[in-house]
Amino acid sequence: NNTKTNTPNECEPAALPDGSLILAARDEAAPYRVLSRSHDFGRSWQPLSRPESLRSAICQGSCVWVSELKRLLLSFPAGEPGEKSPSRSNLVVKASADGESWQDWKTVYQGDAAYSVLQVVPAGATSKLPHGGVLVLFERGHSGTGSLSVQIYPFPSQKTV
């Protein structure tokens, strides 16, 4: 959906296993994440897309490729269902195998939430996550009066045969 002017900012890149880069950003012009892809390590970019499934508050988000899940994860405040202009609430993580189609992965926090960072914790990096996992650091509460929170999603154990 490129019918409206896009004004992206607060961009977040992620490297994909095929060697391409994906850039996710908030869009000051509309309540959606905008995405672009580069197949030449950032020298040129495809036109911005605005997937309908990535309706979002105008707010920073985060993205990261998670090899263990074979998915690109994207976090952002989705707002409440039915809001014309989504509020900075309902922090979600969406997942995609191809960077084009997106599915719900986790609802991180249903109250007021804004900026977030996704981080992959490798297996063995800490005894608290022996199999690794995904860490979500996020701003919870109203801007200026909130606090930082962490949500951890462990990877399932790998059983050997």
Side-chain angles (χ1 to χ4, degrees), residues 70-135:
K70 296 183 175 66
R71 296 286 182 270
L72 179 66
L73 299 183
L74 178 59
S75 65
F76 56 88
E80 301 302 323
E83 286 181 309
K84 182 177 179 180
S85 181
S87 60
R88 289 185 173 191
S89 63
N90 194 27
L91 188 71
V92 299
V93 178
K94 300 275 188 164
S96 176
D98 59 10
E100 294 177 20
S101 58
W102 296 86
Q103 298 79 37
D104 294 337
W105 188 66
K106 299 287 182 189
T107 297
V108 177
Y109 187 75
Q110 292 185 326
D112 292 333
Y115 287 47
S116 60
V117 176
L118 295 168
Q119 180 66 49
V120 176
V121 178
T126 173
S127 61
K128 298 208 185 284
L129 284 175
H131 306 289
V134 176
L135 179 142

Side-chain angles (χ1 to χ4, degrees), residues 10-117:
E10 297 185 341
C11 302
E12 179 86 14
L16 303 180
D18 66 0
S20 67
L21 297 175
I22 193 161
L23 189 70
R26 76 178 189 177
D27 188 353
E28 291 285 343
Y32 295 93
R33 309 310 296 170
V34 290
L35 304 173
S36 183
R37 203 151 187 178
S38 173
H39 294 281
D40 57 10
F41 212 67
R43 287 188 286 281
S44 63
W45 293 90
Q46 295 177 344
L48 290 169
S49 66
R50 191 186 286 154
E52 294 290 324
S53 59
L54 298 182
R55 187 165 164 73
S56 168
I58 297 174
C59 185
Q60 176 271 356
S62 183
C63 67
V64 66
W65 175 260
V66 182
S67 298
E68 293 83 353
L69 301 175
K70 296 183 175 66
R71 296 286 182 270
L72 179 66
L73 299 183
L74 178 59
S75 65
F76 56 88
E80 301 302 323
E83 286 181 309
K84 182 177 179 180
S85 181
S87 60
R88 289 185 173 191
S89 63
N90 194 27
L91 188 71
V92 299
V93 178
K94 300 275 188 164
S96 176
D98 59 10
E100 294 177 20
S101 58
W102 296 86
Q103 298 79 37
D104 294 337
W105 188 66
K106 299 287 182 189
T107 297
V108 177
Y109 187 75
Q110 292 185 326
D112 292 333
Y115 287 47
S116 60
V117 176

